[in-house]
Amino acid sequence: QDLYGVKASKVKLAPNGINPEEFLERGKGIKRRTAFFIGSGHPPNIESVGFIINNLADKCPSITFLIAGTCCDGMDSKKVNVHLLGKVDENEKKTLFETSDISINPMFSGAGTNLKTLEYLSMGIPMVSTDVGVRGIKLKDGEHFILANKESFAEKLNTLVNDGTTKQKISKQSKLYINEFFNWKKIADDFKQTILKFKI
């Protein structure tokens, strides 16, 4: 507003979005007691991987952690329940999204909307996340995801992995919410209507 000298009424922000058709229904091939994280080599993602290896893996011994992306570069773990998959192609990524039991987003720093959150939830993967991991998306704890902090993350994850009813509920509700409000088609249509109202 100040930068371009325009009225606030003529400023509209577009949220990040996804194409729901890219995320198919999860089938019967879900690998129970798996927790999935994917990320680039961005420092906040690397911090998350360190937290998974050094904290969650020991406190959640019955859960297998599947970590994909360049956030794995330079990381090492000999823990049997941590699988550092590294960079994956689209087919491998698709399989991970379709078959992982739970998604996790233990982010403690960073800015902007977290795209992986939109992808997890559009796919219908029940998610445990910190407040940083869901920034800018207006999700409701217990309805769209399970909110945790550094101290409570392991406990919340252990509880959710054994609670089929809650997993099913938040999977359905989060998928509907994300696909309705963060769908690129809807975002574009909303902007089109806004632009048509402006007096040039």
Side-chain angles (χ1 to χ4, degrees), residues 120-131:
Y120 289 154
L121 301 186
S122 181
M123 188 68 187
I125 314 176
M127 182 181 72
V128 181
S129 176
T130 58
D131 55 355

Side-chain angles (χ1 to χ4, degrees), residues 82-98:
V82 175
H83 297 180
L84 296 171
L85 307 175
K87 187 175 182 179
V88 294
D89 62 27
E90 283 303 311
N91 286 333
E92 292 169 322
K93 178 181 175 181
K94 179 174 175 286
T95 298
L96 287 165
F97 270 85
E98 290 178 351

Side-chain angles (χ1 to χ4, degrees), residues 62-74:
S62 67
I63 297 174
T64 299
F65 293 90
L66 307 173
I67 307 172
T70 52
C71 58
C72 297
D73 293 356

Side-chain angles (χ1 to χ4, degrees), residues 123-153:
M123 188 68 187
I125 314 176
M127 182 181 72
V128 181
S129 176
T130 58
D131 55 355
V132 175
V134 297
R135 58 193 181 273
I137 308 180
K138 296 182 180 179
L139 298 176
K140 294 180 180 179
D141 177 26
E143 182 175 336
H144 302 122
F145 80 115
I146 301 299
L147 177 65
N149 56 31
K150 187 173 288 188
E151 291 71 32
S152 67
F153 208 105

